[in-house]
Amino acid sequence: MAPVAAGGRSRSEIVALLATLRQLPPETRRLVLSGLPSWVVDALREEWWWQARGGQIEPKGDWRIWAIIAGRGFGKTRAGAEWVWERARADPEARIALVAASRDEVGRVMVEGESGILAIARIGESPRWISSRGLVVFPSGARAYAYSAAQPQQLRGPQHHFAWCDELAKWPRSQAAWDNLMLGLRLGEAPRTIVTTTPQPVPLLKRLPSLERCIVTRGRTDENPDSAADFRTAMRLTYGGTRLGRQELDGELLDDLPGALWTRDIIEGARSRIAREQLRRVVVGVDPPITVEGGCGIVVCGIDGSGIGHVVDDHSVTGLRPEGWARRAAAAAEIWDAQRIVAEKNQGGEMVESVLRAADFRLPIELVHAKGSKAARAEPIALRFETGRAKLAGTFPALEDELCAITYDGYEGEGRSPDRADAMVWAMTGLFNGPRAEPRIRAL
């Protein structure tokens, strides 16, 4: 007999209906669903394949570890719980480890939570949670056992077919717990582990993507349409672009490099708000590209009446010919009523000034020659950030990533050159070393 689902319909009938609905455009789909009976709504809730998106979809292939590293509210817990249910339904003999920072979190989030194992059971399924024993008994006979990462010795000895590790980044004794879990993951022909976590720069999580047969999927808070729109908007307005927001909302793993001139903490401590009229002098820094395919750093900085420099805008571009990036730099100067453009001339020589003059002949242009290493040029500006004499008037993720990748040994970030960071250094240097007053650029 075909398995019965919601509304007395066979599960195969529901799957066929949902497969058809899934092909419809979103607006048409919503219109159709609004007129369907309640059993369809129940079916939608039960059928995970219909709801899973992006980083929640189980990867194909011969993987051993699947890590979902994503922002808060993305749907990591639901994905983990659904994955556990699929293993339990398919294998009555399955022994599954549920590991969190504490036994309490296993029960409160992974088992009893609103997206946990108990909440997503299908109609007719009655899993039992024996909290005193830390045991989930599935209808098939499969069992899941709760473990605390704070007590890694609990994982020494037990064997499992599968494991679900939640919020790995906050495990108190992560390496010992992980090692004991992996050594006991030896039942069946293909033991597998799912990891669901918001990122933090802890050693185990940083190493995870490099482990053998590990696949990482990612996701952002904004990608979950089921979360409250007001929450998503408020979080983006409050934390968007900051280190906390990039970590907790965008699921980015941010870390500080050894010997970095700027750290994430220095940058977060250098946030400022300043009105345009408070800027006494404005300079546009330009780091021209070597090739057309390269990036041109164009960063605007201003100094206030107390002598503090502020990064106020980033107009950097990629893939433009000299005429294109020159016009972009001229536009940035006009927008901010700048007093000077400071541009590096190492790669283009006098050509740099020529294209800038062609874009707008009124611009006061100062050509500078890069001497020594990037670190040597950037260190005085980094010191000003560290001592509160230079700030970021907003959030500039791409620029901030480049700054944090400049070390005393060179540049260790992605890409061939930190164009934005170089442009900012030129602009800040021009601000602090330039004249106290000079006429501003104004359009005629």
Side-chain angles (χ1 to χ4, degrees):
M1 178 182 293
V4 176
R9 304 298 184 101
S10 71
R11 186 161 181 269
S12 61
E13 287 181 284
I14 292 174
V15 169
L17 174 61
L18 296 182
T20 301
L21 290 174
R22 197 179 193 187
Q23 304 305 314
L24 298 175
E27 291 299 327
T28 306
R29 186 190 311 160
R30 281 193 286 270
L31 182 62
V32 172
L33 290 175
S34 65
L36 292 177
S38 60
W39 66 265
V40 175
V41 177
D42 293 336
L44 281 172
R45 182 183 64 84
E46 293 184 351
E47 297 296 333
W48 175 238
W49 64 269
W50 161 271
Q51 301 170 72
R53 63 190 183 280
Q56 294 177 311
I57 298 174
E58 181 176 343
K60 298 179 180 179
D62 184 29
W63 56 269
R64 183 176 174 84
I65 302 167
W66 172 25
I68 303 176
I69 303 177
R72 294 196 192 185
F74 168 73
K76 301 183 296 296
T77 303
R78 177 69 186 272
E82 290 285 358
W83 185 85
V84 166
W85 264 108
E86 286 301 309
R87 309 285 85 73
R89 292 181 184 117
D91 184 0
E93 301 299 321
R95 298 297 177 262
I96 305 166
L98 306 175
V99 191
S102 67
R103 271 275 296 269
D104 175 68
E105 289 193 19
V106 174
R108 182 166 46 84
V109 179
M110 302 171 75
V111 178
E112 298 178 319
E114 61 183 22
S115 298
I117 290 171
L118 302 184
I120 65 169
R122 290 174 179 165
I123 292 174
E125 292 179 330
S126 300
R128 289 189 296 136
W129 166 231
I130 307 172
S131 59
S132 60
R133 296 172 57 189
L135 172 66
V136 178
V137 181
F138 293 91
S140 67
R143 297 188 170 206
Y145 303 87
Y147 298 97
S148 168
Q151 297 177 300
Q153 67 275 10
Q154 293 180 343
L155 287 158
R156 181 184 292 274
Q159 302 179 83
H160 305 95
H161 296 85
F162 308 105
W164 174 16
C165 303
D166 191 48
E167 293 299 346
L168 181 71
K170 62 181 287 190
W171 284 11
R173 301 181 63 186
S174 57
Q175 192 61 58
W178 179 265
D179 290 342
N180 282 336
L181 175 64
M182 291 297 104
L183 289 168
L185 200 67
R186 54 180 182 261
L187 295 181
E189 296 183 0
R192 288 185 165 184
T193 301
I194 184 172
V195 176
T196 54
T197 188
T198 302
Q200 291 185 34
V202 297
L204 177 57
L205 189 56
K206 289 192 291 184
R207 282 198 305 275
L208 197 66
S210 64
L211 296 181
E212 185 178 1
R213 292 164 59 198
C214 177
I215 293 180
V216 176
T217 61
R218 299 184 181 274
R220 300 167 54 246
T221 300
D222 285 344
E223 294 174 29
N224 185 357
D226 296 322
S227 63
D230 182 69
F231 165 77
R232 298 197 303 271
T233 301
M235 293 302 98
R236 186 59 55 192
L237 290 174
T238 305
Y239 302 108
T242 66
R243 180 181 186 178
L244 184 64
R246 295 178 66 187
Q247 175 179 285
E248 301 295 323
L249 303 181
D250 297 334
E252 296 184 32
L253 184 59
L254 302 174
D255 195 14
D256 294 325
L257 293 171
L261 273 66
W262 280 267
T263 66
R264 300 289 177 179
D265 286 341
I266 288 174
I267 285 177
E268 288 305 312
R271 304 283 183 201
S272 71
R273 291 184 180 181
I274 189 166
R276 182 184 304 225
E277 54 270 19
Q278 293 177 274
L279 299 175
R280 189 185 66 196
R281 185 166 178 264
V282 177
V283 170
V284 178
V286 179
D287 185 62
I290 300 175
T291 65
V292 173
E293 293 77 20
C296 179
I298 304 171
V299 176
V300 184
C301 298
I303 195 167
D304 63 23
S306 59
I308 297 175
H310 302 263
V311 178
V312 295
D313 213 346
D314 182 356
H315 289 255
S316 303
V317 292
T318 301
L320 293 184
R321 297 180 61 81
E323 299 81 3
W325 58 254
R327 284 194 296 269
R328 181 84 171 207
E334 185 168 338
I335 290 170
W336 283 94
D337 196 16
Q339 294 168 301
R340 183 168 295 270
I341 285 183
V342 178
E344 181 182 321
K345 67 177 180 178
N346 285 45
Q347 304 301 332
E350 300 305 318
M351 181 275 292
V352 173
E353 183 172 7
S354 297
V355 294
L356 287 170
R357 294 256 178 241
D360 192 330
F361 69 92
R362 297 163 298 169
L363 298 178
I365 299 169
E366 177 185 352
L367 297 182
V368 290
H369 184 78
K371 298 178 181 178
S373 67
K374 291 184 184 297
R377 296 193 300 273
E379 187 176 8
I381 305 304
L383 180 61
R384 289 181 179 272
F385 273 89
E386 193 168 357
T387 57
R389 291 177 291 166
K391 295 182 177 293
L392 294 158
T395 57
F396 307 95
L399 169 61
E400 293 164 23
D401 286 348
E402 290 187 359
L403 294 176
C404 290
I406 298 176
T407 73
Y408 288 100
D409 295 326
Y411 179 62
E412 300 185 24
E414 296 181 0
R416 291 173 293 182
S417 177
D419 309 301
R420 299 168 193 265
D422 284 342
M424 188 215 73
V425 168
W426 290 128
M428 283 288 187
T429 303
L431 277 178
F432 293 120
N433 295 345
R436 293 187 174 275
E438 62 182 340
R440 293 193 175 221
I441 302 165
R442 297 188 182 276
L444 298 177

